[in-house]
Amino acid sequence: RNSENEIIEVLKNYLSYDIDVVFHCFTGSEKLLNFCLDNNFYISFSGIITFKNAKVLRDIVKKIPLERLLVETDAPYLSPEPMRGKRNEPAHVIHTANYLADMLNINPKELYEKTTNNFFNLFTKAELVK
């Protein structure tokens, strides 16, 4: 928090390495967003995106290509609406995902598929359990 310039400077030292980066629980500025997108980082959103006072964040998320988007719980914190004020858990991620799909005007199933694919592209050792 409150360290965007510092994190950009630190990460610049590692751009030549073949690493994947995810910005967990993104609440950053457009400057940080542009740095992330310029470097093909993944950007993850928690229930904060559903909060009434998150208009600036909602404007930012609309600029992110679906191929870079992730959805998270940040459990046990930051429960999305309508679960706000309750202990967060993985099952609540559906509320954040549905909110994002509606906000981006896409079918929720498309968002689920894209973010699931993004997860497996980022975490290559993870396996889908059926």
Side-chain angles (χ1 to χ4, degrees), residues 8 17 29 44 47 61 65 72-73 84-85 93 98-99 103 122:
I8 289 170
Y17 293 81
S29 68
S44 184
V61 76
E72 65 179 83
T73 62
R84 189 146 185 215
V93 77
N98 287 342
Y99 188 94
M103 188 182 77
L122 176 64

Side-chain angles (χ1 to χ4, degrees), residues 88-108:
N88 204 359
E89 59 184 67
H92 296 173
V93 77
I94 192 74
H95 300 292
T96 304
N98 287 342
Y99 188 94
L100 280 167
D102 184 58
M103 188 182 77
L104 297 172
N105 199 30
I106 61 173
N107 183 300

Side-chain angles (χ1 to χ4, degrees), residues 49-108:
I49 200 77
T50 70
F51 296 178
K52 290 180 180 115
N53 64 348
K55 182 189 178 320
V56 172
L57 190 58
R58 285 189 288 276
D59 291 340
I60 285 175
V61 76
K62 292 175 185 177
K63 299 174 182 178
I64 300 171
L66 289 179
E67 291 73 24
R68 294 283 130 198
L69 184 66
L70 293 166
V71 183
E72 65 179 83
T73 62
D74 200 40
Y77 309 105
L78 305 174
S79 288
E81 294 292 343
M83 308 309 287
R84 189 146 185 215
K86 298 179 181 171
R87 184 178 192 277
N88 204 359
E89 59 184 67
H92 296 173
V93 77
I94 192 74
H95 300 292
T96 304
N98 287 342
Y99 188 94
L100 280 167
D102 184 58
M103 188 182 77
L104 297 172
N105 199 30
I106 61 173
N107 183 300

